[in-house]
Amino acid sequence: MRKLILTILGVLLIIASFFFAYKLIESKNKVKPVPQKVVKTVFVDTVKNSIIPIIIPANGNLTAKRRVELYAEVQGIFTPGSTLFKAGQTYRQGQTLIRIDASEYYASVQSAKSNLYNSIAAIMADLRLDFPEVFPKWQAYLNGFDLNRTTPKLPSMASEKENYFITGRGIVSNYYNVKNLEQRLSKYTISAPFDGILTEALVTEGSLIRSGQKLGEFIDPSVYEMEVAISKSFANLLKVGEKVELNNLDGTETFTGIVSRVNGSIDATTQTITVFIEVKSELLKEGMYLEARLDAKQEENAIEINRNLLLDTNQIFVVRDGVLDVVDVKPVYFSDTKVVLKDVPNGAIILSRSVPGAYAGMLVKIFEDKPNKASN
């Protein structure tokens, strides 16, 4: 019985092995499905070379073209005036900005002027006897001498004898000493050099002002300048007097400026050149941030595309008979998002949008925008 059971198990094992081998052979002979070729739909444009303006974007803050930092050259008490010395206060040209108490110094100036007058009066008798020909002009000088006005200029010396006589009496040295005192006296009053506005006030009426102390800042709000840095490659293209379009960050306001100055040297660190743009408008304020668009030049026979369409090998994709191919191009200018290209054949069909995983030889289909049918 045991031999019979073992024989039957052996036969069953052999039959099972035959069936298993047959299944393996059949699985190898099955036809594998052919994967379908994926044809991507692409967006394209037809190349039409034209004149492309090279516009250089730049930005910066406005600063007043005419500005004065006010400093004290003398010491004294800031005396109140008719107009408060406060930021935002406007002044006309010649109007007093700051007046420092100069009563003590004014007395010393008047004393020196009086000494000069007395020195000239003391030599008049000698002039009448020794130099009768020059006596009238010195007499006229004394008659026109006013202690409450600026000291007039001394009469010119007609001869060496007269010069020696006048100089020997110390009159010339006294005169220049008086003029020096008068010049310093004028520093006790600071006047507006032009029509403008006070943008910074660091002192108040009644405070003690020291020599060398900064008092504030005064600007002309009618004309502003914006300093921008551009690449050295455009240094020879920008000309003084060229118009520049400016706009604020929101794009709600547009201004027109002109290139007022171009720096003659290039920054060795950044390899850029500084350009100053002058702009006038009642809407502008100092410190305002603006964006500028400078017209550098016109590039002929060129096109402008998105930067992501340009390959690292200076090539772009074109579509030929439903297949992607590449052509060599010459980039001439890069902006933040665009690139200007030359040597692109007219009429070539190029990609207008990037295709992920694109390669030369890839099958593509051009997207056709079909008009929607009107529903009844």
Side-chain angles (χ1 to χ4, degrees):
M1 179 63 71
R2 186 170 54 185
K3 289 182 181 180
L4 179 62
I5 294 173
L6 291 176
T7 302
I8 293 172
L9 289 175
V11 172
L12 292 176
L13 183 61
I14 293 172
I15 293 172
S17 64
F18 273 109
F19 273 103
F20 181 73
Y22 179 74
K23 291 292 183 181
L24 287 177
I25 294 172
E26 279 193 345
S27 63
K28 289 184 178 180
N29 294 332
K30 284 184 179 179
V31 180
K32 295 182 180 179
V34 179
Q36 296 181 352
K37 293 186 178 180
V38 178
V39 180
K40 288 190 176 182
T41 302
V42 295
F43 295 86
V44 297
D45 281 331
T46 302
V47 173
K48 185 178 180 181
N49 287 293
S50 60
I51 298 176
I52 303 296
I54 302 298
I55 299 177
I56 308 170
N59 49 65
N61 295 93
L62 291 179
T63 57
K65 187 174 183 180
R66 302 174 68 189
R67 63 183 303 111
V68 176
E69 291 187 349
L70 306 174
Y71 284 90
E73 298 183 60
V74 294
Q75 181 172 316
I77 301 298
F78 184 4
T79 59
S82 58
T83 304
L84 290 178
F85 188 76
K86 299 292 184 182
Q89 182 66 49
T90 58
Y91 294 86
R92 306 292 296 178
Q93 183 176 1
Q95 188 176 355
T96 300
L97 295 173
I98 293 177
R99 181 178 285 109
I100 302 173
D101 183 21
S103 55
E104 182 179 352
Y105 192 80
Y106 177 77
S108 64
V109 174
Q110 293 300 95
S111 175
K113 292 170 69 174
S114 178
N115 290 336
L116 174 63
Y117 182 87
N118 294 336
S119 299
I120 298 175
I123 66 169
M124 294 304 293
D126 294 334
L127 284 177
R128 182 189 293 273
L129 295 176
D130 299 334
F131 303 94
E133 68 279 3
V134 301
F135 176 79
K137 67 179 181 182
W138 285 97
Q139 183 64 48
Y141 181 81
L142 279 183
N143 294 337
F145 197 99
D146 188 352
L147 290 177
N148 296 321
R149 294 185 175 183
T150 304
T151 304
K153 185 179 179 181
L154 290 176
S156 59
M157 311 296 179
S159 63
E160 290 186 3
K161 290 183 178 181
E162 180 188 5
N163 186 24
Y164 293 151
F165 181 82
I166 298 298
T167 304
R169 298 300 190 276
I171 294 175
V172 175
S173 61
N174 288 342
Y175 167 78
Y176 284 109
N177 180 50
V178 170
K179 297 302 290 185
N180 181 44
L181 295 176
E182 288 181 337
Q183 185 66 28
R184 187 166 183 81
L185 180 63
S186 65
K187 299 181 185 301
Y188 282 82
T189 301
I190 301 177
S191 302
F194 44 78
D195 295 347
I197 185 171
L198 193 68
T199 58
E200 184 181 23
L202 302 178
V203 293
T204 57
E205 288 83 351
S207 58
L208 174 62
I209 295 177
R210 295 177 173 82
S211 179
Q213 179 181 352
K214 185 177 180 180
L215 308 177
E217 288 188 4
F218 185 73
I219 68 167
D220 179 1
S222 62
V223 184
Y224 293 96
E225 276 190 338
M226 185 173 73
E227 179 181 342
V228 297
I230 63 172
S231 174
K232 66 175 183 179
S233 58
F234 299 104
N236 298 326
L237 302 177
L238 290 175
K239 305 294 182 183
V240 174
E242 287 188 5
K243 291 186 177 181
V244 181
E245 182 181 338
L246 304 168
N247 59 271
N248 59 0
L249 290 179
D250 299 330
T252 56
E253 296 176 346
T254 303
F255 311 95
T256 301
I258 60 172
V259 178
S260 58
R261 303 193 308 278
V262 179
N263 201 337
S265 62
I266 295 175
D267 191 317
T269 305
T270 61
Q271 290 298 294
T272 58
I273 190 168
T274 305
V275 178
F276 296 89
I277 302 170
E278 180 180 313
V279 59
K280 301 178 182 178
S281 177
E282 295 180 354
L283 301 176
L284 298 175
K285 301 292 182 182
E286 187 173 60
M288 184 180 291
Y289 187 86
L290 295 181
E291 294 178 341
R293 294 169 61 85
L294 294 86
D295 295 330
K297 65 175 180 176
Q298 305 285 332
E299 195 68 53
E300 298 182 354
N301 297 322
I303 63 171
E304 187 178 42
I305 63 173
N306 292 328
R307 289 188 61 167
N308 57 3
L309 297 177
L310 179 66
L311 304 178
D312 295 337
T313 55
N314 287 339
Q315 294 175 320
I316 60 174
F317 284 112
V318 296
V319 179
R320 292 174 179 167
D321 300 328
V323 178
L324 284 186
D325 197 2
V326 291
V327 293
D328 295 327
V329 294
K330 178 183 177 183
V332 294
Y333 174 70
F334 290 90
S335 66
D336 293 338
T337 58
K338 300 287 187 179
V339 58
V340 178
L341 304 177
K342 299 195 71 172
D343 298 341
V344 184
N346 261 326
I349 300 176
I350 65 173
L351 297 182
S352 61
R353 298 184 188 177
S354 60
V355 178
Y359 57 89
M362 180 180 182
L363 294 176
V364 294
K365 180 176 65 174
I366 297 176
F367 174 79
E368 296 181 0
D369 190 6
K370 297 181 180 180
N372 295 327
K373 294 183 179 180
S375 59
N376 296 327

